[in-house]
Amino acid sequence: MPSPYDSDPRLGELVVSQHELDVRVAELGRQITLDYAEHPPLLVGVLKGAFMFMSDLSRAIDLPVEFDFMAVASYGSTTRTSGVVRIVKDLELDLTGRHVLLVEDIIDSGLTLSYLRRTLLARDPASLAVCSLLVRDHYEVEDLDLAYVGFRIPSDFVVGYGLDVGERYRNLPFVCHLIAEPEVRR
Ligand code: IMP
Ligand code: MG
């Protein structure tokens, strides 16, 4: 069936297909199920980008997980970072003594991750690990201390599967490039 997005000139090359997402999310879910068998995690999703990944990932985890969400802002409505991270919506649950698994959509500059790690560790969880759907190629995953990574991708801006530009394209069931708009001439 043709999709209204088929003719969208802003959507570029496919980066991660729906099938690749299905397969990888199932693998991550199995791994997390094994790793957390003794102490089911509290999943902390970072809104809004991680909502779709968190939804699928949680269904691939065969444990009685709990959920909470927080929202931080590091980007405006454009594709450029503001360099500022602030909490827009805080967690509802107490993290003390909990095994927290932070679920992110993408690690780009790493600014949001380092801010979140500091903030969550200050709340005395029993453990804190990070699961990110996407991580830019230029990072050593070890340096970022990332336990679970879906895919490594190059630095081009992507949309779909939760990721947006100006709140659009989050509902695409795959991840693809966004074609940059030509610079406005002054
Ligand atoms: P960081 O703080 O630079 O690592 O950026 C993290 C946040 O920026 C992510 O959680 C996304 O919400 C957003 N972001 C970074 N790169 C992209 C992209 O390619 N597409 C959509 N959002 C992105
Ligand atoms: Mg995000």
Side-chain angles (χ1 to χ4, degrees):
M1 205 163 67
S3 135
Y5 290 120
D6 288 347
S7 56
D8 190 320
R10 293 200 71 191
L11 295 183
E13 209 182 308
L14 185 66
V15 177
V16 187
S17 72
Q18 191 166 3
H19 179 68
E20 288 169 321
L21 286 168
D22 286 349
V23 170
R24 189 70 187 122
V25 170
E27 282 172 1
L28 289 171
R30 273 195 297 276
Q31 190 60 53
I32 291 165
T33 303
L34 292 173
D35 295 349
Y36 286 86
E38 303 302 316
H39 39 77
L42 167 61
L43 302 179
V44 169
V46 185
L47 295 173
K48 299 171 193 171
F51 84 100
M52 200 168 288
F53 176 45
M54 176 123 148
S55 165
D56 287 341
L57 180 69
S58 64
R59 281 175 286 184
I61 300 173
D62 194 12
L63 295 171
V65 298
E66 290 175 49
F67 290 74
D68 207 347
F69 292 93
M70 69 192 296
V72 294
S74 58
Y75 274 67
S77 59
T78 64
T79 57
R80 202 166 300 162
T81 181
S82 65
V84 177
V85 181
R86 66 190 167 88
I87 295 180
V88 174
K89 178 213 174 295
D90 206 342
L91 296 173
E92 290 170 9
L93 303 180
D94 183 1
L95 300 190
T96 315
R98 304 302 308 272
H99 292 277
V100 175
L101 182 56
L102 182 68
V103 181
E104 255 288 23
D105 53 356
I106 181 168
I107 311 299
D108 184 24
S109 70
L111 200 76
T112 308
L113 178 63
S114 71
Y115 173 82
L116 286 174
R117 208 194 290 277
R118 254 183 291 128
T119 306
L120 299 186
L121 282 174
R123 301 178 186 186
D124 284 328
S127 69
L128 174 65
V130 180
C131 177
S132 185
L133 175 69
L134 305 171
V135 177
R136 298 291 189 201
D137 274 337
H138 56 264
Y139 279 115
E140 296 291 339
V141 168
E142 297 72 32
D143 293 350
L144 288 172
D145 195 15
L146 277 166
Y148 309 97
V149 172
F151 302 88
R152 308 295 305 267
I153 63 162
S155 57
D156 312 86
F157 200 86
V158 293
V159 292
Y161 199 65
L163 292 103
D164 74 311
V165 64
E167 296 303 328
R168 284 190 55 197
Y169 304 119
R170 293 192 197 273
N171 64 330
L172 293 174
F174 49 79
V175 177
C176 69
H177 282 146
L178 182 82
I179 295 170
E181 301 205 313
E183 292 282 326
V184 180
R185 302 253 303 270
R186 290 168 194 276

